[in-house]
Amino acid sequence: MKEALPDQGSVRAHVLRLMSQKDKIEGEIQELTSILTQNGVGMHEPLVDSEGFPINSIDTYQVRHARHRIICLQNDHKALMKQIENGLQGYYSATSSDEAMDTQPLDPGSNRPSLITNKTPFAKITVVSKGSPADYAGIKAGDEVVEFGSVNSKNFKAITDIATVVQHSQGSQMGLKLKRGDHFVAVVLVPKKWAGGGLLGCNIVGLSVG
């Protein structure tokens, strides 16, 4: 007896609800991070001076509360990303075909997923900073970039092409297609300011293409 596949519409709706929750958590983390920034600290700087006295310029209670809440939200975010990943796998199995790749992204403007047509990596992720937009998107060091928004191996000329796309996409969702080992992975990245430098929190180097 053939196993029944999950209903495509319900799975997609479930994944979209999870992504909405993800956006909400990221927004709260961003607000809490701004509290740390206003106090001139990050997640790990000391809140007392060398003699053990509280630093006058820091609201110790506010910072400790924000740090604790950020840690809790980061754990929630990690668990949610796993649920989204599992949900996407269910979505793809409901729309699978012989032409589909291992993993495909949801197309926000359609009820069908878009196929990964580009297979040639043109860049590589070498470093991903914890708590960064890249980290939240599920990007990992060692991932090879197949598509970065509109950039792919066919139109990629220099790493500045990626920088241009990032600047134009600040605060907006953009799709990335990555090669991770023998599999292709689709993620949604939102370039934005965070506690660290840049808008991504990862280092990308170009690869020789063709």
Side-chain angles (χ1 to χ4, degrees), residues 82-187:
K82 187 64 179 177
Q83 292 181 52
I84 291 173
E85 180 182 344
N86 292 338
L88 287 173
Q89 290 175 357
Y91 180 83
Y92 303 143
S93 67
T95 58
S96 60
S97 71
D98 293 337
E99 301 176 42
M101 299 300 293
D102 295 276
T103 309
Q104 305 167 38
L106 285 173
D107 182 355
S110 168
N111 285 329
R112 296 184 57 82
S114 58
L115 296 177
I116 294 181
T117 55
N118 294 302
K119 302 179 184 179
T120 305
F122 63 91
K124 185 174 183 178
I125 310 294
T126 58
V127 178
V128 177
S129 300
K130 188 174 181 179
S132 67
D135 185 30
Y136 288 145
I139 298 172
K140 301 181 183 298
D143 285 347
E144 294 182 328
V145 183
V146 176
E147 292 185 11
F148 196 104
S150 59
V151 182
N152 55 58
S153 61
K154 298 175 182 177
N155 59 21
F156 175 74
K157 294 186 176 70
I159 207 70
T160 52
D161 294 342
I162 291 178
T164 300
V165 171
V166 169
Q167 290 295 331
H168 290 164
S169 303
Q170 184 173 350
S172 301
Q173 292 186 350
M174 60 183 300
L176 271 67
K177 297 171 186 176
L178 309 169
K179 185 177 181 182
R180 182 175 297 164
D182 296 329
H183 301 279
F184 290 87
V185 180
V187 301

Side-chain angles (χ1 to χ4, degrees), residues 31-87:
E31 291 177 4
L32 292 167
T33 300
S34 68
I35 292 176
L36 301 184
T37 302
Q38 291 167 10
N39 281 274
V41 297
M43 289 293 292
H44 306 292
E45 288 80 3
L47 305 182
V48 296
D49 59 23
S50 58
E51 296 180 355
F53 293 101
I55 300 174
N56 292 332
S57 60
I58 298 176
D59 185 329
T60 304
Y61 173 80
Q62 190 181 48
V63 168
R64 284 177 175 166
H65 174 76
R67 284 178 172 178
H68 175 74
R69 183 61 181 155
I70 287 173
I71 291 172
C72 293
L73 287 171
Q74 286 175 338
N75 291 333
D76 292 345
H77 188 278
K78 184 176 181 180
L80 198 57
M81 289 300 293
K82 187 64 179 177
Q83 292 181 52
I84 291 173
E85 180 182 344
N86 292 338

